[in-house]
């Protein structure tokens, strides 16, 4: 059933409050007070939807029962998660995910009445995608065991002291500076684990990379995670990112009941509005029970705070950490050839668990990454190449459109790439992403300039139908068009996003400098 924009808006408003009476004044306000139009639209909708749509003394109510796709999807997802047999669960997950035919409440997600429900449904879908990928893993290969933290005893002692200070109401910022592959994220994960064990709430704010990395992405992700894991605080947490004073007040209020650790990773990719907001919020929090952890290769945009410089890990630390995973001779060779980079060490251990040979262990990060990508089959490598054009946070729907395959095929490939150590599952409702910037950068650079430009053009073309339904993706299209060399189209799409046309060209340059520094 196709509806004109005005009836569609009224129906969407009623769907958001399904089974609850919506007063006519609210519907009238959504239409700018056009009473005659509202009465005509409601009469038409009642003819189309009777007896589902009914008039009550206090307003109008839509009672869709179990016929509402969002409700059926929720029921199917719950059934799939409870299923004991993986193949049966996959079929139910697929049925649930098929209920989405685009963005939730497309065209209305920025309204006060639809925004929260659209965000909830999008998080539900992303969670189902992640759970489906997990289920697929159970049918393919055994999930690899996480490797231990290597060294970092002195750094952890400093961080424990900062947790003590935050818990006592002496919140602060701590900076972690290190080159790519030095273990910044892994140290942050250990800090989060320690904090949670002590009763803190740990929230990650991850920056985007590549074309289309949107403004305030890190803060949007942090707030979405907070809404998901603390439903009791949902009414307090806005869908849109608030102003600094309001955001600092919200975090300070939450921290009075439960101390917080906010973890901002990959600060070198943090967009300027997110960085300004971070500095403002850090300054406003004062004595709140909040520890803010910021890590990156470049910390020029970071708020002030004591700094930890991560050094390469030593050979003895590597041997001690890997003692039960590989023979001591292999551990020593890995330590020497890795240059003390925890990322390279972990990649080598993954590839050589159970082997006692040292003859084929490559030297340095570039050789390790080339070997990792070289082990992928054709479907996996094609997926990685397109993913590299998208950036670190991956939309399986866009990948499927570019590759010309069903979305479930992409999700199955994602599951294998997680096993291969190329991708990681989304955290806190986040999308799948590359395990490390170094993998993304190596895959992206390996395409060559002409291939990259053509790839961005294909990604933009695949995103255009999505962006016509979902305004939040308009700037993504503009940025990919800019990277494809289609400057006039990029400027036009940037104007649709309400930006200066030059923003798309500037956004398109992000990620071209992937030297790995």
């Amino acid at each position: 059933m196709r509806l004109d924009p005005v009836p569609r808006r009224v129906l969407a408003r009623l769907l958001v409050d399904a089974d609850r009476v919506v007063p006519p004044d609210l519907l009238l306000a959504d239409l700018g007070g056009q009473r005659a139009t509202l009465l005509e639209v409601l009469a038409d909708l009642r003819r189309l939807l009777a007896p589902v749509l009914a008039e009550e003394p206090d307003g109008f109510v839509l009672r869709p029962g179990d016929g509402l796709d969002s409700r059926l999807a929720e029921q199917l997802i719950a059934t799939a998660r409870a299923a004991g047999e993986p193949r049966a669960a996959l079929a139910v997950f697929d049925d649930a995910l098929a209920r989405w035919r685009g963005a939730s409440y497309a065209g209305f997600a920025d309204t006060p009445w639809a925004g929260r429900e659209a965000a909830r449904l999008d998080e539900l879908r992303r969670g189902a995608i992640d759970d489906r990928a997990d289920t697929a893993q159970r049918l393919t290969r055994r999930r690899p065991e996480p490797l231990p933290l290597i060294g970092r005893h002195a750094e952890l002692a400093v961080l424990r002291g900062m947790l003590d200070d935050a818990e006592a109401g002496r919140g602060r910022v701590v900076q972690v500076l290190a080159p790519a592959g030095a273990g910044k994220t892994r140290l942050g994960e250990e800090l989060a684990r320690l904090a949670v064990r002590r009763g803190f709430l740990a929230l990650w704010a991850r920056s985007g990379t590549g074309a289309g990395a949107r403004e305030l992405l890190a803060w949007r992700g942090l707030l979405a995670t907070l809404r998901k894991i603390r439903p009791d605080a949902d009414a307090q947490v806005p869908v849109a990112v608030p102003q600094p004073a309001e955001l600092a007040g919200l975090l300070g209020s939450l921290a009075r009941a439960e101390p917080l650790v906010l973890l901002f990773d990959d600060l070198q990719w943090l967009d300027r509005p997110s960085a300004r907001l971070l500095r403002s919020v850090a300054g406003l929090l004062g004595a709140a029970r909040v520890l803010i952890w910021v890590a990156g290769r470049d910390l020029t945009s970071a708020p002030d705070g004591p700094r930890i410089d991560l050094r390469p890990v030593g050979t003895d630390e590597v041997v001690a950490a890997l003692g039960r995973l590989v023979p001591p001779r292999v551990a020593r060779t890995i330590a020497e050839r890795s240059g003390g980079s925890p990322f390279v060490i972990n990649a080598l251990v993954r590839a050589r668990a159970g082997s006692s040979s040292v003859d084929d262990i490559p030297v340095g990060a570039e050789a390790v990454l080339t070997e990792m990508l070289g082990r992928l089959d054709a479907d996996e490598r094609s997926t990685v190449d397109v993913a590299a054009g998208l950036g670190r946070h991956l939309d399986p729907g866009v990948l499927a459109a570019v590759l010309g395959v069903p979305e479930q095929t992409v999700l199955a490939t994602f599951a294998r790439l997680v096993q291969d150590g190329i991708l990681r599952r989304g955290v806190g409702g986040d999308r799948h992403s590359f395990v490390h910037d170094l993998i993304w950068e190596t895959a992206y650079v390996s395409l060559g300039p002409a291939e990259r430009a053509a790839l961005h053009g294909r990604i933009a073309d695949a995103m255009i139908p999505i962006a016509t339904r979902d305004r939040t993706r308009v700037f993504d299209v503009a940025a990919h068009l800019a990277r494809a060399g289609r400057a006039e189209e990029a400027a036009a799409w940037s104007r649709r996003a309400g930006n200066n046309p030059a923003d798309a060209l500037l956004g398109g340059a992000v990620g071209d400098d992937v030297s790995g520094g």
Side-chain angles (χ1 to χ4, degrees):
M1 178 176 64
R2 287 191 174 275
L3 294 174
D4 290 335
V6 173
R8 184 168 171 266
R9 185 181 186 89
V10 173
L11 180 58
R13 183 68 177 84
L14 292 166
L15 278 170
V16 167
D17 287 307
D19 295 319
R20 294 191 293 268
V21 175
V22 180
D25 287 350
L26 292 181
L27 297 173
L28 195 61
D30 289 334
L31 297 184
Q34 301 174 43
R35 183 176 297 276
T37 301
L38 175 61
L39 293 174
E40 181 182 342
V41 166
L42 286 170
D44 289 342
L45 288 176
R46 288 182 68 189
R47 280 195 296 271
L48 287 170
L49 300 173
V52 174
L53 176 58
E55 185 174 2
E56 299 284 342
D58 296 327
F60 295 85
V61 60
L62 191 70
R63 296 189 177 93
D66 291 333
L68 192 60
D69 272 344
S70 59
R71 289 183 178 174
L72 184 55
E74 286 192 77
Q75 292 167 5
L76 289 169
I77 289 168
T79 300
R81 287 170 173 162
E85 205 284 306
R87 291 188 191 281
L90 281 180
V92 182
F93 272 127
D94 290 344
D95 191 6
L97 291 167
R99 306 287 159 177
W100 274 272
R101 291 180 290 276
S104 302
Y105 290 96
F108 308 114
D110 58 348
T111 64
W113 47 267
R116 195 178 299 277
E117 177 67 1
R120 186 187 73 83
L121 291 173
D122 287 344
E123 288 168 16
L124 178 71
R125 179 177 180 269
R126 285 196 294 268
I129 288 172
D130 286 345
D131 289 345
R132 188 203 182 280
D134 253 1
T135 304
Q137 284 181 6
R138 287 154 55 193
L139 288 172
T140 53
R141 290 174 251 177
R142 183 178 60 86
R143 193 169 194 165
E145 293 297 321
L147 295 176
L149 181 68
I150 301 172
R152 309 304 187 210
H153 303 297
E155 292 87 348
L156 285 174
V158 172
L159 292 173
R160 285 190 182 95
M162 291 185 172
L163 287 175
D164 292 338
D165 289 344
E167 195 169 14
R170 298 187 298 274
R172 61 200 313 184
V173 174
V174 58
Q175 302 179 354
V176 179
L177 178 68
K184 299 181 291 295
T185 302
R186 183 67 183 86
L187 182 63
E189 290 170 346
E190 189 66 17
L191 169 62
R193 187 186 68 81
L194 292 171
V196 168
R197 287 178 60 184
R198 293 176 54 164
F200 282 69
L201 177 61
L203 297 169
W204 284 90
R206 299 186 186 276
S207 307
T209 57
R214 281 173 278 170
E215 288 188 351
L216 298 173
L217 177 66
W219 285 104
R220 293 180 202 276
L222 186 148
L223 292 174
T225 302
L226 184 55
R227 287 193 300 272
K228 182 177 182 180
I229 64 178
R230 285 292 181 273
D232 54 312
D234 187 62
Q236 295 177 256
V237 183
V239 174
V241 177
Q243 293 299 309
E246 183 184 350
L247 183 54
L250 168 66
L251 295 171
S253 173
L254 292 170
R256 282 193 287 275
E258 186 176 25
L260 302 178
V261 175
L262 309 181
L263 300 110
F264 285 79
D265 203 11
D266 293 320
L267 220 68
Q268 70 274 5
W269 302 123
L270 195 67
D271 60 88
R272 286 191 289 270
S274 285
R276 287 195 296 269
L277 184 56
L278 173 59
R279 290 193 296 271
S280 297
V281 169
L284 290 168
L285 280 171
R289 299 200 302 163
V290 181
L291 174 61
I292 300 177
W293 179 93
V294 296
R297 309 179 211 174
D298 179 355
L299 297 179
T300 53
S301 65
D304 292 336
R307 194 174 86 186
I308 296 173
D309 293 290
L310 293 186
R311 58 176 177 75
V313 295
T315 299
D316 290 342
E317 291 174 312
V318 175
V319 173
L322 303 184
R324 291 185 294 178
L325 299 172
V326 296
R329 185 170 72 110
V330 174
R332 288 190 174 277
T333 304
I334 286 175
E336 292 163 1
R337 298 186 185 178
S338 68
S341 162
F343 168 74
V344 176
I345 292 166
N346 288 346
L348 290 172
V349 172
R350 273 180 178 272
R352 283 159 180 80
S355 171
S356 60
S357 172
V358 298
D359 297 334
D360 61 344
I361 297 177
V363 178
E366 184 177 353
V368 169
L369 291 163
T370 300
E371 182 186 71
M372 285 177 70
L373 295 174
R375 289 198 302 266
L376 303 179
D377 64 32
D379 289 341
E380 291 169 342
R381 186 57 202 259
S382 296
T383 301
V384 166
D385 287 346
V386 176
L390 280 172
R392 283 182 59 219
H393 299 272
L394 310 178
D395 184 328
V398 174
L399 272 159
V402 175
L403 292 167
V405 300
E407 187 171 338
Q408 305 309 329
T409 300
V410 172
L411 293 172
T413 306
F414 276 6
R416 298 198 302 273
L417 291 170
V418 169
Q419 292 283 349
D420 293 332
I422 303 294
L423 299 184
R424 68 156 64 93
R425 284 190 56 216
V427 176
D430 224 352
R431 291 192 175 109
H432 279 74
S433 60
F434 283 98
V435 163
H436 201 281
D437 283 353
L438 289 173
I439 300 176
W440 165 64
E441 292 168 357
T442 301
Y444 188 73
V445 169
S446 72
L447 296 174
E451 286 179 279
R452 292 200 295 268
L455 172 60
H456 285 294
R458 290 162 58 204
I459 292 172
D461 291 337
M463 282 186 168
I464 284 172
I466 300 171
T468 58
R469 301 188 302 267
D470 180 0
R471 267 187 59 84
T472 65
R473 308 305 295 272
V474 170
F475 183 73
D476 296 356
V477 173
H480 284 288
L481 286 169
R483 296 278 286 278
R486 293 154 61 176
E488 290 185 10
E489 293 174 81
W493 276 89
S494 187
R495 281 192 290 271
R496 288 182 65 173
N499 297 327
N500 185 318
D503 290 347
L505 302 178
L506 291 171
V510 175
D512 277 338
D513 179 14
V514 286
S515 59

